[in-house]
């Protein structure tokens, strides 16, 4: 099973996330090159509201009592809302920073620079989630970052949105990396909390509602004031600000962004934050191909070399997974080791079979 995708559901989430994310990036860039004006923070707020509506519709479809059971389901969420307050703030910041960066740079440039977050995510996953990464996987992660950086060579472009210095866009992306990594790891920990009696769909409604509240507060304090507009709630919901949201370029963008957010939460619940970043690395391959088809952007030899390094890193990350992931049928509880027969391994002289130093069963 490649990258630990051991079910059709996992493969669907992994591939679906890549497809939706690529589509979202393309639509954002398409709106930018066509000169469609819309407020970034208002757009993120609308996306979060749409995610709440999607979650409610999914809940109604999956429950026999429909929406009548929603208040009861929300009341059983326990401390989950408290656990996701910080992730929701970080996630809202990430969305705003990300969509701002996409309005400044070409989509594949943004994707390349965002890949540096995989190191940050891996380190935070080890620290907060006690995730085990082998030395080979750390080497693969470094290769992924090198490959993404190599792909970036030759694409240091000037801004096309009125900004004169690329440094501004890169600072925005650096902040997005930090917010995105920490948000993903903390959200994954909250989603996988076994003591919380709530479905993933209910958790998605709660998390998206909190993110919408954070973005509403951002609008209320006037963070959307830019390019000469006054900002604030009055401007955010004025006819001038909302006019761009009804164009055929922006409506699909909002829908795609909403589905990306929904898939992200299910992705973290079923898989993990590191695989989510590896999916983004794979987008380094798929997004330039789509950009070539849609916008005519061509790949250089250096970029192709970087893509080859990324592919190598993905393969090595899979090859060097920990033994208990490569052979999930083996027990990892050291206090209750299984016999060689139970583990399906050949027994040695003492009938126990070979072991790792940690005490885990291991076979060739």
């Amino acid at each position: 099973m490649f990258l630990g995708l051991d079910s059709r559901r996992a493969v669907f989430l992994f591939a679906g996330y890549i497809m939706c994310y690529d589509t979202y990036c393309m639509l954002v860039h398409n709106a930018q090159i066509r000169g469609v004006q819309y407020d970034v923070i208002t757009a993120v707020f609308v996306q979060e509201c749409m995610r709440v509506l999607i979650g409610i519709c999914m809940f109604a479809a999956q429950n026999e009592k429909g929406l009548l059971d929603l208040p009861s389901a929300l009341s059983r969420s326990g401390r989950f809302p408290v656990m996701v307050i910080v992730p929701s703030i970080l996630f809202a910041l990430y969305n705003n920073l990300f969509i701002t960066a996409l309005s400044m740079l070409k989509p594949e440039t943004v994707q390349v620079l965002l890949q540096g977050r995989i190191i940050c995510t891996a380190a935070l996953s080890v620290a907060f989630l006690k995730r085990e990464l082998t030395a080979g996987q750390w080497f693969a992660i470094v290769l992924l970052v090198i490959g993404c950086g190599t792909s970036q060579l030759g694409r240091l472009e000037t801004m096309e949105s009125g900004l004169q210095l690329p440094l501004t866009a890169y600072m925005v992306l650096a902040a997005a990396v930090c917010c995105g990594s920490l948000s993903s790891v903390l959200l994954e920990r909250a989603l996988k909390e076994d003591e919380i009696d709530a479905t993933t769909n209910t958790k998605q409604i709660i998390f998206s509602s909190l993110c919408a509240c954070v973005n509403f507060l951002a609008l209320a304090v006037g963070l959307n004031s830019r390019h000469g507009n006054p900002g604030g709630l009055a401007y955010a919901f004025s006819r001038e600000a909302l006019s761009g949201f009804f164009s055929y370029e922006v409506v699909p963008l909002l829908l795609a962004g909403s589905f990306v957010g929904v898939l992200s939460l299910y992705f973290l619940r079923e898989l993990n934050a590191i695989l989510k970043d590896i999916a983004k690395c794979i987008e380094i391959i798929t997004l330039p191909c789509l950009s070539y088809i849609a916008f005519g952007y061509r790949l250089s030899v250096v970029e192709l070399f970087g893509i080859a390094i990324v592919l190598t890193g993905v393969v090595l990350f899979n090859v060097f997974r920990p033994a208990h992931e490569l052979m999930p049928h083996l027990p990892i509880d050291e206090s209750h080791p299984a016999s060689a027969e139970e583990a399906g391994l050949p027994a040695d002289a003492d009938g126990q079979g070979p072991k790792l130093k940690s005490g885990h069963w291991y076979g060739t």
Side-chain angles (χ1 to χ4, degrees):
M1 52 183 179
F2 187 70
L3 294 176
L5 305 177
D6 56 355
S7 67
R8 291 184 179 179
R9 180 184 178 88
V11 173
F12 170 79
L13 283 173
F14 193 83
Y17 179 78
I18 293 175
M19 294 174 60
C20 285
Y21 201 80
D22 281 347
T23 302
Y24 178 58
C25 293
M26 299 290 294
L27 291 171
V28 170
H29 187 64
N30 178 65
Q32 187 263 332
I33 63 176
R34 290 178 178 271
V36 179
Q37 299 296 323
Y38 59 94
D39 183 68
V40 172
I41 298 182
T42 305
V44 176
F45 171 73
V46 173
Q47 285 181 5
E48 296 298 346
C49 292
M50 293 174 69
R51 289 170 188 169
V52 175
L53 291 176
I54 291 173
I56 292 175
C57 291
M58 293 174 63
F59 182 90
Q62 295 173 359
N63 288 267
E64 295 181 357
K65 297 181 179 179
L67 295 180
L68 295 176
D69 196 38
L70 182 58
S72 175
L74 294 175
S75 66
R76 295 194 301 269
S77 60
R79 57 194 181 96
F80 180 77
V82 177
M83 295 180 67
V84 295
I85 289 177
V86 173
S88 64
I89 296 174
L90 293 171
F91 189 72
L93 287 173
Y94 168 76
N95 277 333
N96 283 281
L97 292 169
F98 175 68
I99 200 171
T100 300
L102 280 175
S103 68
M104 297 176 181
L105 297 167
K106 294 177 183 177
E108 65 270 24
T109 303
V110 174
Q111 294 307 311
V112 165
L113 295 177
L114 277 178
Q115 304 319 312
R117 66 177 281 179
I118 189 170
I119 292 181
C120 186
T121 301
L124 291 171
S125 294
V126 172
F128 287 95
L129 304 177
K130 308 302 180 184
R131 180 157 288 122
E132 179 184 354
L133 291 176
T134 65
Q137 286 184 308
W138 280 110
F139 175 72
I141 288 173
V142 172
L143 273 185
L144 289 173
V145 175
I146 293 175
C148 294
T150 302
S151 297
Q152 171 63 11
L153 295 178
R155 283 198 176 271
L156 296 178
E157 68 229 73
T158 58
M159 298 295 98
E160 301 176 359
S161 59
L163 295 176
Q164 300 300 317
L165 295 175
L167 179 62
T168 304
Y170 299 145
M171 290 177 64
V172 170
L173 283 172
V177 165
C178 296
C179 292
S181 295
L182 187 55
S183 173
S184 294
V185 172
L186 294 179
L187 179 58
E188 180 187 345
R189 183 173 66 174
L191 288 169
K192 293 180 177 178
E193 178 61 60
D194 294 331
E195 297 179 1
I196 297 176
D197 182 21
T199 64
T200 304
N201 192 36
T202 304
K203 293 177 181 179
Q204 189 263 319
I205 295 173
I206 295 172
F207 181 69
S208 296
S209 299
L210 287 173
C211 289
C213 291
V214 172
N215 279 282
F216 184 83
L217 291 176
L219 293 172
V221 299
L223 292 184
N224 57 332
S225 59
R226 63 187 71 184
H227 305 305
N229 68 63
L233 291 174
Y235 172 77
F237 298 103
S238 66
R239 178 176 298 181
E240 176 187 357
L242 294 177
S243 59
F245 288 96
F246 297 100
S247 65
Y248 69 90
E249 293 95 350
V250 177
V251 171
L253 178 158
L254 296 175
L255 286 172
S258 300
F259 280 105
V260 167
V262 173
L263 278 177
S264 295
L265 191 138
Y266 278 87
F267 194 111
L268 292 174
R269 177 64 180 89
E270 301 294 332
L271 302 174
N272 60 66
I274 297 178
L275 281 182
K276 185 167 173 280
D277 283 349
I278 289 178
K280 293 181 183 296
C281 289
I282 295 176
E283 288 164 7
I284 293 296
I285 303 167
T286 58
L287 191 58
C289 296
L290 293 175
S291 293
Y292 172 75
I293 296 172
F295 306 118
Y297 299 148
R298 296 183 179 276
L299 288 172
S300 66
V301 175
V302 175
E303 288 174 304
L304 291 173
F305 180 66
I307 288 174
I309 297 177
V310 170
L311 281 173
T312 303
V314 172
V315 172
L316 290 179
F317 188 89
N318 176 71
V319 170
F320 290 111
R321 283 183 294 152
H324 63 82
E325 291 185 15
L326 290 171
M327 290 181 290
H329 65 285
L330 303 183
I332 61 174
D333 186 355
E334 298 183 12
S335 62
H336 299 286
S339 66
E341 182 179 357
E342 291 173 339
L345 302 174
D348 57 10
D350 61 2
Q352 295 297 311
K355 293 182 180 180
L356 290 175
K357 290 183 179 179
S358 62
H360 299 169
W361 294 111
Y362 185 79
T364 57

